Amino acid sequence: MIQKQVIDGGMQEMFESVLKKGKIGNVELKNRFIMPAMGSGHSERDGTVGDEAIGYYVARARGGFGLIITEYTGVDQLGMGARNELKSYSDEYIPGLKRLADAVHAEGAKIFLQLHHGGKWADPNITGQATVSSSAIAFHVRDCIPRELTTQEVYDVIEKFGDAALRAKKAGYDGVELHGGHGYLFPQFMSAYSNRRIDEFGGDIVSRSRFSTCVIENIKQKCGDDFPVIMRMSGDETVDGGMKINETRVMAELLEKAGVDALNVTAGMPATYGDKGYSLASNRTHMGFIAYLAEEIKKSVGIPVITVGRITDPAMADSIVRDGIADFVALGRASLADPEFPNKVLEGRIDEICPCIGCMSRCLTGPGPDGISPGASCALNPFTGYETHMKIEPASKSKTIVVVGGGVAGLEAAWISAARGHKVTLYEKNSRPGGQTYTASIPPHKQGFAHAIKYYQTMCKKHGVDIRLDTEANMDIVVSHAPDAVILCTGATPTGLQVPNDGITVAQAVDMLNGKIIPGKNILVVGGGLVGLETADFLLPQMASVTIVEMLEQAGEGLLTNFALIRALGKSGVNIMTSTKVERFTKDGAVCSTPEGEITLSGYDMVLLATGSKPYNPLEKELLGKVPEIHVIGDAKEARLVKDAVAEGAELAIRI
Ligand SMILES: Cc1cc2nc3c(=O)[nH]c(=O)nc-3n(C[C@H](O)[C@H](O)[C@H](O)COP(=O)(O)O)c2cc1C
């Protein structure tokens, strides 16, 4: 009781800094929470605004974000990076953009349009023309040497930004943001990494900043001084020869003099997306890791500064504002995970915030081979991006539902079913819910998965799910409820490896992660998928030496975060042997076949198997004919990732 009072009593004052009103130019924002620009992929295939995009943005406006910055919007056909990128290079796009602005305003948020030109990052398959840049420097990503814009063409592009800003103003936007971060056209001019011009747009810092300052001045001329402009900029480009904070700090001063109203400080280049982890950092990167760049820039300017980058915790968001590190916090993927983040902070419902855990398994959506970006969503919140047709609505008839298995598929299905008015009982054989997601939370950087389980558990409690732990449901237990529907989500079990063994200890990696066995010192991990890689990551700080063998040509296929993980393991001396298949275990290792012939690996004291898992679904057959409806979801249907289990739980629960 005492403990509860302490927790509740602290809440009110805890977040007052981030909940305070703020101003960008003369636009007043109701709090310091900003949804930053994110190419959502939810616009129509031709890049116009449709219902899906409106539903997605409105959810975040309704959820309390003071300012919504739209995804990147092309000011010039020559700068387009995706077919369904929003467009602002012709008046014909004004009505669609206006619909979006009006819809966001109706929810009490302000909205800025992000203006963008990709420069050398534009996709020639979409533009139908050679790419352009500040200078003609070979660019391997697009396999091209971009054409250097002539001086006159640079002035033309400046006009195009001004024209696009005027369209934004006519469409009712409160301001615009210039996408000057992540290596696109603005930094192609600003940065000595990519600018070799010898006209007025190249050379010293002032000249390299001229393209940006001219755009700001052009917008102010066309839209008026009171129409706010934010410049997004990478405080550190994180590449050799690129801009560092000592230089971006000076550029910030020049931008301020040119009339910019706020700076949105990010880091990195797109080539580092999900890889080196600056512009878009995975869970291997700590929270608020680039806030120091905003803090440095803030020392040089008097205008508001926005920070971004793995700000996923309300306490951190508040402390950034309170301590003067930045004036506003932009929550990118955290706004995908929970559109109501600000409102939940305001109402003290912190435990109900669906956390962004940096897994990057459903949010990052680069354009596919057809140039279309698939819609961004969230592994833990599958409603994101699909707000118009995925809704939690009251059920027409309240049913009795039994959920067997308390992994994330079961928890998600349970709370949503209960929220719709069904009577839900959930059985979990272990003493805590979470299933394999709990195991996934054990390796370093993965605590977020435990946080996610806590969130689902909170939602179950809130909506009255009767959770029965330490109880393995059998047919009699299930039937005793006389359920209208049964949801089976009993998960998966690890597969073994049926090969001869001359004596080495062989155990399941998940048993070691779950604390059932103590690992050895020299370990051979069989399987280089996610579990194998994370097992090695877990063992390294414990001074173990680890070799991974993977029979496929590549380890860690399937997840973006795996690249960062593989790189980190490589740096720590983990030997990852691909195209290597275990034929038999010896007393101290294994004999493996490789494309070059047989090899013997020796000197190990333990083998940990991470060779995948198979569905575990013992009840379906027994229940057939004894209950009216049976649904099998998650790994019990097919062993896959957390995002698949959660999505299946939600998709079932909204229609059951
Ligand atoms: C799916 C996705 C698309 C993005 N597209 C853009 C974009 O169009 N313009 C931009 O300035 N940043 C873009 N970003 C970067 C975000 O604005 C933000 O800087 C980044 O996600 C880091 O913040 P976070 O850790 O809070 O997610 C994108 C990020 C994501 C996840």
Side-chain angles (χ1 to χ4, degrees), residues 35-41 56 69-73 114 116 177-182 184 232 264-267 273 278-281 289-290 308-312 330-336 356 360 362-366 376-377:
M35 176 190 178
M38 282 178 287
S40 72
Y56 159 76
I69 303 177
T70 68
E71 60 206 83
Y72 66 147
T73 304
Q114 189 184 59
H116 175 257
E177 178 177 84
L178 305 174
H179 193 351
H182 306 163
Y184 297 109
R232 188 156 224 212
N264 185 354
V265 182
T266 172
Y273 270 5
Y278 291 95
S279 46
L280 243 173
F289 71 111
I290 50 170
V308 71
R310 296 262 306 126
I311 300 166
T312 55
L331 274 51
R333 287 161 295 167
S335 71
L336 299 182
C356 169
M360 293 171 67
R362 265 198 97 182
C363 50
L364 197 59
T365 57
S377 189

